Each structure stands twice: as C-alpha cells, then as structure tokens.
Amino acid sequence: MNFTENLSVSTEFSEKGLPLLVTPNNADALSGSTVLWKQYQDDIRAVVKEYLHQYGGILFRGFQNFGQDSSCKEFANLFSSELLTYEFGSTPRTDLGEGVYTATEYPSHQIIPLHNEQAYTLQWPLNIWFHCVTAAETGGETPIADSRRIYNKIPTQIRERFEQKKLLYVRNYGGGLDLPWSKVFNTESRDEVEKYCRDHQIEAEWKGDGELRTKQLCQATAKHLTTGESVWFNQAHLFHVSNLEEATREVLLDIVEIEDLPRNVYYGDGSTIEDSILDEVRGVLDEESVFFPWQEGDFMMLDNMLAAHGRSTFTGKRKTVVAMANGYDSTKEN
C-alpha cells in the first residue's frame, strides 16, 4: 500500500510484519548517478516515525546509490547526527571510520545467534542500521525477531527466574582465545580500562598472567523507553558455554578452567544457568526468527530493543556494514 505519494509499505516477508518493506513508487524512474534516496528524506523520516515502534524494523529497498559504505553514515544521520563507537565490544569487526563498522567478522560457516546489540551490558544503542553492500552468493541473511513476542513466548517460570536473579556476564580477554582487552576497550592503558569499568559498573580483575577478567550484573528483560512494552533483552544464550559446539567446549575446558573461559554467563548470584533452560530459550528464538534475502543496496533500520538480529551461514563474498546511534545508559535511570 502507498504510504505517501513517493513510498509504498508492505509486510510481504512474514505474517509477523517484520521487517516492514519500504520501496519507492517510481522505481522504474530511479536511475542515474544522483543520490536519489535523499530526495525522499522527509518521506523516509515519516515512515520511521509512523511504523518503527509498531514493527521494530524497516527494510528500505529499491533506492539508487545505496551501494557505498558512506551511505550507511549518511542514512543513519537522518535520525541522529552523532553515531556511536563500539565500546566494550564482544566480537571482531573493522572500524570503517565515522561511526561505520563491518558486521561481525566471524567465518562464513558460523551462525551468529539472534541477539539485541550490546544487551550483555548496561549501556546499548537504541537504533542500529544494516547496509548490504555486497550480498552473499548463497545464505548470509540477517534473521530478525520481535523481542516483544520472544518475551511473551518464553515460559513464565523461566522469564520470572531470569528477571528475579538477573545475569552475571564473565569475560576473559586475550590469551589467544578471544579479543585482547586493548581491542575491546580501545586503549593500551590499564588505568583507562579500570576507569571505564568503574564508570560502567563493571568489576575488573587483572589476573596473574597479566590478562583481564571482567564481571557485570545485567538485566534479563527490559521495558521499551517509548512504548513501555516488555522485551526479552539479554545475551545469555549466546555467552553461555552451552552455545559452543560440544567438541569446541571440550577442547577449551581441557585448556582452561571454566572460570577462565573467554565468556560465560551465570545467574546474578553466580549460580549456574541450566543448559536445558537455555535450550528452551533458543527454541523460542528459532520459532520467532524471520528470514529475508538481502539485495545489494538494501538498508535496514532496527529499534534495537524491539528487534533482535543475527546472521546465517553463507558462501561467496558478503559485505554488510553497520552503524549505531542514540545510546542509552540504564545506570542513569531515575
């Protein structure tokens, strides 16, 4: 259906409505070297204002000149003049400058489970953008899911246990097993790391081998700041040791003690989260996943609290770039 004279919207990808697809009405006329999407800035803003909180994610398709890394920054700047950096990141990615990054650079045979960006900490972006520069030969989708639907489908007893106990994320950096702390904190200074941790309610411990261990108590669920809706908002299923393939887990535990794993998560009181509980959580995430094929030039905007995202396996070259904005700090709630 037409949203404005210039744009149409549809929910063709899923009965869940996510992502809402937005296309230009005069697609056949869009050609040439002009950055034509900029002609529809007001319409694009109007679509986002009207629908983002309803659907959680919007996919823009069919606009010309959405093919460069710089487009990500320009498009995100329609909604925020200041893009965020990846502070306290947990995955490898390349900084392309000016707030634009590559998507997580895991090998193509690995799946990245659904997650809300930086839900493993107390600060996170409210908006995130994905721009498909090069679509994979096969696969490479960015599955997404509605965090409200996930919250409502998680068994009540599990959800209440998580909400009551909260989650304790434990990370061990470097050692050839994970990102070095200098990369995660963007500094070579221990003093700066310790200050960052104090400021962000992170417990920091320098181990005997000179490496760093951090612990942080975080939320399991949250309420959306605008709509007030409850959302499932954590990365327990991703950080937990049970997320590793059995062979990889066995090898790691032969090398290090469980407390020295690169990452793990516990209930907030330090007790172990049962594998079976997280299997149920993963089952819900699988049920709620929505897949759509990327096309080069596609641009997707997500409300990071309302929509989780992941990555499928793929073949061939794939390049997706990412930007984030509108940072929120839950430690400053009144």
mmCIF file of all heavy atoms in Angstrom, residues 135-169:
data_model
loop_
_atom_site.group_PDB
_atom_site.id
_atom_site.type_symbol
_atom_site.label_atom_id
_atom_site.label_comp_id
_atom_site.label_asym_id
_atom_site.label_seq_id
_atom_site.Cartn_x
_atom_site.Cartn_y
_atom_site.Cartn_z
ATOM 1 N N ALA A 135 25.844 -8.649 -1.443
ATOM 2 C CA ALA A 135 25.055 -9.797 -0.990
ATOM 3 C C ALA A 135 25.826 -11.083 -1.219
ATOM 4 O O ALA A 135 26.561 -11.220 -2.213
ATOM 5 C CB ALA A 135 23.721 -9.846 -1.744
ATOM 6 N N ALA A 136 25.689 -12.037 -0.287
ATOM 7 C CA ALA A 136 26.375 -13.328 -0.413
ATOM 8 C C ALA A 136 25.849 -14.095 -1.614
ATOM 9 O O ALA A 136 24.733 -13.876 -2.094
ATOM 10 C CB ALA A 136 26.178 -14.140 0.857
ATOM 11 N N GLU A 137 26.678 -15.020 -2.090
ATOM 12 C CA GLU A 137 26.247 -15.878 -3.194
ATOM 13 C C GLU A 137 25.058 -16.727 -2.777
ATOM 14 O O GLU A 137 24.058 -16.838 -3.494
ATOM 15 C CB GLU A 137 27.413 -16.762 -3.638
ATOM 16 C CG GLU A 137 27.108 -17.675 -4.810
ATOM 17 C CD GLU A 137 28.305 -18.506 -5.222
ATOM 18 O OE1 GLU A 137 29.450 -18.056 -5.015
ATOM 19 O OE2 GLU A 137 28.108 -19.612 -5.762
ATOM 20 N N THR A 138 25.169 -17.356 -1.606
ATOM 21 C CA THR A 138 24.042 -18.071 -1.006
ATOM 22 C C THR A 138 24.038 -17.765 0.489
ATOM 23 O O THR A 138 25.083 -17.553 1.105
ATOM 24 C CB THR A 138 24.134 -19.595 -1.197
ATOM 25 O OG1 THR A 138 25.299 -20.099 -0.508
ATOM 26 C CG2 THR A 138 24.221 -19.960 -2.674
ATOM 27 N N GLY A 139 22.842 -17.772 1.080
ATOM 28 C CA GLY A 139 22.732 -17.540 2.521
ATOM 29 C C GLY A 139 23.099 -16.112 2.888
ATOM 30 O O GLY A 139 22.909 -15.167 2.130
ATOM 31 N N GLY A 140 23.647 -15.977 4.107
ATOM 32 C CA GLY A 140 24.084 -14.673 4.571
ATOM 33 C C GLY A 140 22.978 -13.752 5.021
ATOM 34 O O GLY A 140 23.170 -12.540 5.176
ATOM 35 N N GLU A 141 21.780 -14.313 5.262
ATOM 36 C CA GLU A 141 20.687 -13.463 5.741
ATOM 37 C C GLU A 141 21.004 -12.893 7.130
ATOM 38 O O GLU A 141 21.826 -13.428 7.869
ATOM 39 C CB GLU A 141 19.381 -14.261 5.829
ATOM 40 C CG GLU A 141 18.906 -14.836 4.515
ATOM 41 C CD GLU A 141 19.373 -16.256 4.289
ATOM 42 O OE1 GLU A 141 20.296 -16.702 5.004
ATOM 43 O OE2 GLU A 141 18.813 -16.919 3.399
ATOM 44 N N THR A 142 20.321 -11.818 7.445
ATOM 45 C CA THR A 142 20.336 -11.262 8.793
ATOM 46 C C THR A 142 18.966 -11.540 9.395
ATOM 47 O O THR A 142 18.043 -10.719 9.277
ATOM 48 C CB THR A 142 20.626 -9.751 8.770
ATOM 49 O OG1 THR A 142 21.918 -9.526 8.209
ATOM 50 C CG2 THR A 142 20.581 -9.152 10.174
ATOM 51 N N PRO A 143 18.774 -12.721 10.002
ATOM 52 C CA PRO A 143 17.464 -13.015 10.596
ATOM 53 C C PRO A 143 17.154 -12.018 11.703
ATOM 54 O O PRO A 143 18.048 -11.546 12.405
ATOM 55 C CB PRO A 143 17.630 -14.432 11.151
ATOM 56 C CG PRO A 143 19.109 -14.609 11.319
ATOM 57 C CD PRO A 143 19.745 -13.791 10.243
ATOM 58 N N ILE A 144 15.883 -11.698 11.851
ATOM 59 C CA ILE A 144 15.460 -10.770 12.891
ATOM 60 C C ILE A 144 14.237 -11.354 13.600
ATOM 61 O O ILE A 144 13.593 -12.276 13.097
ATOM 62 C CB ILE A 144 15.141 -9.373 12.316
ATOM 63 C CG1 ILE A 144 14.149 -9.475 11.147
ATOM 64 C CG2 ILE A 144 16.416 -8.675 11.870
ATOM 65 C CD1 ILE A 144 13.806 -8.147 10.526
ATOM 66 N N ALA A 145 13.949 -10.828 14.768
ATOM 67 C CA ALA A 145 12.800 -11.314 15.540
ATOM 68 C C ALA A 145 12.315 -10.220 16.471
ATOM 69 O O ALA A 145 13.090 -9.363 16.913
ATOM 70 C CB ALA A 145 13.166 -12.560 16.340
ATOM 71 N N ASP A 146 11.036 -10.246 16.766
ATOM 72 C CA ASP A 146 10.398 -9.259 17.619
ATOM 73 C C ASP A 146 10.654 -9.611 19.088
ATOM 74 O O ASP A 146 10.208 -10.663 19.572
ATOM 75 C CB ASP A 146 8.893 -9.240 17.334
ATOM 76 C CG ASP A 146 8.172 -8.079 17.992
ATOM 77 O OD1 ASP A 146 8.489 -7.749 19.154
ATOM 78 O OD2 ASP A 146 7.264 -7.510 17.350
ATOM 79 N N SER A 147 11.354 -8.758 19.800
ATOM 80 C CA SER A 147 11.720 -9.028 21.192
ATOM 81 C C SER A 147 10.518 -9.042 22.122
ATOM 82 O O SER A 147 10.567 -9.635 23.204
ATOM 83 C CB SER A 147 12.743 -7.996 21.685
ATOM 84 O OG SER A 147 13.910 -8.034 20.892
ATOM 85 N N ARG A 148 9.420 -8.403 21.713
ATOM 86 C CA ARG A 148 8.186 -8.449 22.499
ATOM 87 C C ARG A 148 7.556 -9.832 22.401
ATOM 88 O O ARG A 148 7.087 -10.392 23.402
ATOM 89 C CB ARG A 148 7.207 -7.382 21.990
ATOM 90 C CG ARG A 148 7.695 -5.960 22.172
ATOM 91 C CD ARG A 148 6.933 -4.976 21.320
ATOM 92 N NE ARG A 148 7.214 -5.160 19.886
ATOM 93 C CZ ARG A 148 6.889 -4.272 18.948
ATOM 94 N NH1 ARG A 148 6.284 -3.142 19.294
ATOM 95 N NH2 ARG A 148 7.175 -4.488 17.680
ATOM 96 N N ARG A 149 7.520 -10.379 21.191
ATOM 97 C CA ARG A 149 6.967 -11.714 21.003
ATOM 98 C C ARG A 149 7.817 -12.757 21.727
ATOM 99 O O ARG A 149 7.289 -13.712 22.314
ATOM 100 C CB ARG A 149 6.883 -12.035 19.509
ATOM 101 C CG ARG A 149 5.836 -11.221 18.765
ATOM 102 C CD ARG A 149 5.900 -11.501 17.255
ATOM 103 N NE ARG A 149 5.641 -12.906 16.965
ATOM 104 C CZ ARG A 149 4.451 -13.396 16.615
ATOM 105 N NH1 ARG A 149 3.403 -12.590 16.519
ATOM 106 N NH2 ARG A 149 4.312 -14.692 16.340
ATOM 107 N N ILE A 150 9.130 -12.578 21.694
ATOM 108 C CA ILE A 150 10.022 -13.505 22.403
ATOM 109 C C ILE A 150 9.715 -13.462 23.900
ATOM 110 O O ILE A 150 9.572 -14.503 24.553
ATOM 111 C CB ILE A 150 11.495 -13.150 22.132
ATOM 112 C CG1 ILE A 150 11.833 -13.377 20.654
ATOM 113 C CG2 ILE A 150 12.424 -13.983 23.021
ATOM 114 C CD1 ILE A 150 13.165 -12.807 20.235
ATOM 115 N N TYR A 151 9.622 -12.265 24.449
ATOM 116 C CA TYR A 151 9.314 -12.105 25.877
ATOM 117 C C TYR A 151 8.040 -12.856 26.241
ATOM 118 O O TYR A 151 7.983 -13.574 27.251
ATOM 119 C CB TYR A 151 9.162 -10.622 26.200
ATOM 120 C CG TYR A 151 8.768 -10.323 27.623
ATOM 121 C CD1 TYR A 151 9.727 -10.074 28.600
ATOM 122 C CD2 TYR A 151 7.422 -10.280 28.006
ATOM 123 C CE1 TYR A 151 9.360 -9.798 29.923
ATOM 124 C CE2 TYR A 151 7.051 -10.009 29.309
ATOM 125 C CZ TYR A 151 8.028 -9.772 30.258
ATOM 126 O OH TYR A 151 7.662 -9.511 31.558
ATOM 127 N N ASN A 152 7.020 -12.711 25.429
ATOM 128 C CA ASN A 152 5.725 -13.318 25.737
ATOM 129 C C ASN A 152 5.716 -14.832 25.540
ATOM 130 O O ASN A 152 4.885 -15.530 26.147
ATOM 131 C CB ASN A 152 4.636 -12.671 24.886
ATOM 132 C CG ASN A 152 4.339 -11.245 25.322
ATOM 133 O OD1 ASN A 152 4.396 -10.921 26.510
ATOM 134 N ND2 ASN A 152 4.042 -10.377 24.365
ATOM 135 N N LYS A 153 6.614 -15.368 24.714
ATOM 136 C CA LYS A 153 6.640 -16.801 24.459
ATOM 137 C C LYS A 153 7.601 -17.568 25.367
ATOM 138 O O LYS A 153 7.505 -18.789 25.469
ATOM 139 C CB LYS A 153 6.999 -17.067 22.988
ATOM 140 C CG LYS A 153 5.877 -16.693 22.016
ATOM 141 C CD LYS A 153 6.189 -17.120 20.603
ATOM 142 C CE LYS A 153 5.990 -18.617 20.417
ATOM 143 N NZ LYS A 153 6.051 -18.995 18.980
ATOM 144 N N ILE A 154 8.535 -16.864 26.004
ATOM 145 C CA ILE A 154 9.407 -17.541 26.974
ATOM 146 C C ILE A 154 8.527 -18.063 28.107
ATOM 147 O O ILE A 154 7.691 -17.330 28.645
ATOM 148 C CB ILE A 154 10.463 -16.562 27.540
ATOM 149 C CG1 ILE A 154 11.414 -16.073 26.439
ATOM 150 C CG2 ILE A 154 11.249 -17.209 28.680
ATOM 151 C CD1 ILE A 154 12.382 -17.091 25.923
ATOM 152 N N PRO A 155 8.665 -19.330 28.491
ATOM 153 C CA PRO A 155 7.858 -19.859 29.601
ATOM 154 C C PRO A 155 7.935 -18.949 30.830
ATOM 155 O O PRO A 155 9.005 -18.475 31.193
ATOM 156 C CB PRO A 155 8.489 -21.227 29.868
ATOM 157 C CG PRO A 155 9.042 -21.639 28.531
ATOM 158 C CD PRO A 155 9.546 -20.369 27.906
ATOM 159 N N THR A 156 6.794 -18.724 31.442
ATOM 160 C CA THR A 156 6.705 -17.760 32.539
ATOM 161 C C THR A 156 7.696 -18.050 33.653
ATOM 162 O O THR A 156 8.341 -17.141 34.192
ATOM 163 C CB THR A 156 5.274 -17.731 33.111
ATOM 164 O OG1 THR A 156 4.357 -17.412 32.062
ATOM 165 C CG2 THR A 156 5.154 -16.711 34.219
ATOM 166 N N GLN A 157 7.854 -19.332 34.014
ATOM 167 C CA GLN A 157 8.745 -19.658 35.122
ATOM 168 C C GLN A 157 10.195 -19.335 34.795
ATOM 169 O O GLN A 157 10.975 -18.930 35.666
ATOM 170 C CB GLN A 157 8.611 -21.135 35.526
ATOM 171 C CG GLN A 157 9.069 -22.144 34.488
ATOM 172 C CD GLN A 157 7.961 -22.510 33.516
ATOM 173 O OE1 GLN A 157 7.008 -21.746 33.345
ATOM 174 N NE2 GLN A 157 8.084 -23.688 32.888
ATOM 175 N N ILE A 158 10.581 -19.469 33.522
ATOM 176 C CA ILE A 158 11.941 -19.125 33.106
ATOM 177 C C ILE A 158 12.112 -17.611 33.125
ATOM 178 O O ILE A 158 13.098 -17.081 33.652
ATOM 179 C CB ILE A 158 12.245 -19.689 31.707
ATOM 180 C CG1 ILE A 158 12.267 -21.213 31.750
ATOM 181 C CG2 ILE A 158 13.573 -19.147 31.179
ATOM 182 C CD1 ILE A 158 12.480 -21.866 30.388
ATOM 183 N N ARG A 159 11.146 -16.922 32.545
ATOM 184 C CA ARG A 159 11.237 -15.468 32.486
ATOM 185 C C ARG A 159 11.312 -14.867 33.890
ATOM 186 O O ARG A 159 12.137 -13.983 34.160
ATOM 187 C CB ARG A 159 10.030 -14.911 31.736
ATOM 188 C CG ARG A 159 10.145 -13.420 31.438
ATOM 189 C CD ARG A 159 8.979 -12.932 30.598
ATOM 190 N NE ARG A 159 7.736 -12.979 31.351
ATOM 191 C CZ ARG A 159 6.620 -13.558 30.918
ATOM 192 N NH1 ARG A 159 6.602 -14.178 29.756
ATOM 193 N NH2 ARG A 159 5.527 -13.528 31.661
ATOM 194 N N GLU A 160 10.478 -15.350 34.789
ATOM 195 C CA GLU A 160 10.478 -14.798 36.141
ATOM 196 C C GLU A 160 11.777 -15.101 36.876
ATOM 197 O O GLU A 160 12.270 -14.266 37.642
ATOM 198 C CB GLU A 160 9.277 -15.341 36.920
ATOM 199 C CG GLU A 160 7.949 -14.776 36.412
ATOM 200 C CD GLU A 160 6.749 -15.325 37.168
ATOM 201 O OE1 GLU A 160 6.928 -16.313 37.919
ATOM 202 O OE2 GLU A 160 5.642 -14.762 37.013
ATOM 203 N N ARG A 161 12.340 -16.276 36.642
ATOM 204 C CA ARG A 161 13.618 -16.618 37.280
ATOM 205 C C ARG A 161 14.724 -15.687 36.777
ATOM 206 O O ARG A 161 15.530 -15.172 37.563
ATOM 207 C CB ARG A 161 13.988 -18.076 36.972
ATOM 208 C CG ARG A 161 15.273 -18.532 37.663
ATOM 209 C CD ARG A 161 15.659 -19.937 37.276
ATOM 210 N NE ARG A 161 14.593 -20.899 37.510
ATOM 211 C CZ ARG A 161 14.692 -22.206 37.275
ATOM 212 N NH1 ARG A 161 15.828 -22.701 36.779
ATOM 213 N NH2 ARG A 161 13.693 -23.008 37.512
ATOM 214 N N PHE A 162 14.752 -15.454 35.475
ATOM 215 C CA PHE A 162 15.761 -14.558 34.906
ATOM 216 C C PHE A 162 15.579 -13.135 35.431
ATOM 217 O O PHE A 162 16.560 -12.459 35.759
ATOM 218 C CB PHE A 162 15.658 -14.571 33.379
ATOM 219 C CG PHE A 162 16.467 -15.640 32.704
ATOM 220 C CD1 PHE A 162 16.344 -16.971 33.073
ATOM 221 C CD2 PHE A 162 17.365 -15.319 31.704
ATOM 222 C CE1 PHE A 162 17.086 -17.960 32.455
ATOM 223 C CE2 PHE A 162 18.112 -16.295 31.072
ATOM 224 C CZ PHE A 162 17.973 -17.625 31.445
ATOM 225 N N GLU A 163 14.340 -12.679 35.486
ATOM 226 C CA GLU A 163 14.095 -11.312 35.945
ATOM 227 C C GLU A 163 14.462 -11.140 37.408
ATOM 228 O O GLU A 163 15.006 -10.104 37.815
ATOM 229 C CB GLU A 163 12.628 -10.946 35.713
ATOM 230 C CG GLU A 163 12.282 -10.757 34.245
ATOM 231 C CD GLU A 163 10.815 -10.483 34.020
ATOM 232 O OE1 GLU A 163 9.971 -10.984 34.822
ATOM 233 O OE2 GLU A 163 10.489 -9.773 33.052
ATOM 234 N N GLN A 164 14.192 -12.137 38.211
ATOM 235 C CA GLN A 164 14.487 -12.050 39.635
ATOM 236 C C GLN A 164 15.991 -12.112 39.900
ATOM 237 O O GLN A 164 16.518 -11.320 40.683
ATOM 238 C CB GLN A 164 13.788 -13.190 40.382
ATOM 239 C CG GLN A 164 14.090 -13.204 41.872
ATOM 240 C CD GLN A 164 13.463 -14.402 42.575
ATOM 241 O OE1 GLN A 164 12.877 -15.273 41.945
ATOM 242 N NE2 GLN A 164 13.580 -14.445 43.889
ATOM 243 N N LYS A 165 16.665 -13.032 39.259
ATOM 244 C CA LYS A 165 18.087 -13.240 39.555
ATOM 245 C C LYS A 165 19.020 -12.347 38.742
ATOM 246 O O LYS A 165 20.159 -12.118 39.132
ATOM 247 C CB LYS A 165 18.452 -14.707 39.301
ATOM 248 C CG LYS A 165 17.808 -15.673 40.283
ATOM 249 C CD LYS A 165 18.432 -17.054 40.182
ATOM 250 C CE LYS A 165 17.957 -17.966 41.286
ATOM 251 N NZ LYS A 165 18.664 -19.258 41.317
ATOM 252 N N LYS A 166 18.549 -11.866 37.580
ATOM 253 C CA LYS A 166 19.384 -11.131 36.634
ATOM 254 C C LYS A 166 20.513 -12.031 36.119
ATOM 255 O O LYS A 166 20.525 -13.235 36.370
ATOM 256 C CB LYS A 166 19.917 -9.834 37.246
ATOM 257 C CG LYS A 166 18.806 -8.852 37.611
ATOM 258 C CD LYS A 166 19.386 -7.511 38.039
ATOM 259 C CE LYS A 166 18.267 -6.513 38.340
ATOM 260 N NZ LYS A 166 18.805 -5.196 38.716
ATOM 261 N N LEU A 167 21.468 -11.425 35.417
ATOM 262 C CA LEU A 167 22.512 -12.207 34.756
ATOM 263 C C LEU A 167 23.881 -11.616 35.042
ATOM 264 O O LEU A 167 24.068 -10.393 35.050
ATOM 265 C CB LEU A 167 22.269 -12.219 33.240
ATOM 266 C CG LEU A 167 20.989 -12.921 32.797
ATOM 267 C CD1 LEU A 167 20.664 -12.589 31.349
ATOM 268 C CD2 LEU A 167 21.106 -14.432 32.997
ATOM 269 N N LEU A 168 24.843 -12.503 35.278
ATOM 270 C CA LEU A 168 26.224 -12.102 35.531
ATOM 271 C C LEU A 168 27.078 -12.574 34.363
ATOM 272 O O LEU A 168 27.286 -13.769 34.167
ATOM 273 C CB LEU A 168 26.735 -12.717 36.832
ATOM 274 C CG LEU A 168 28.162 -12.336 37.230
ATOM 275 C CD1 LEU A 168 28.240 -10.850 37.587
ATOM 276 C CD2 LEU A 168 28.642 -13.201 38.408
ATOM 277 N N TYR A 169 27.574 -11.615 33.568
ATOM 278 C CA TYR A 169 28.426 -11.933 32.423
ATOM 279 C C TYR A 169 29.885 -11.891 32.855
ATOM 280 O O TYR A 169 30.335 -10.912 33.460
ATOM 281 C CB TYR A 169 28.212 -10.920 31.301
ATOM 282 C CG TYR A 169 26.836 -10.988 30.674
ATOM 283 C CD1 TYR A 169 25.812 -10.161 31.131
ATOM 284 C CD2 TYR A 169 26.557 -11.867 29.639
ATOM 285 C CE1 TYR A 169 24.546 -10.207 30.568
ATOM 286 C CE2 TYR A 169 25.296 -11.919 29.063
ATOM 287 C CZ TYR A 169 24.295 -11.095 29.529
ATOM 288 O OH TYR A 169 23.048 -11.149 28.968
#
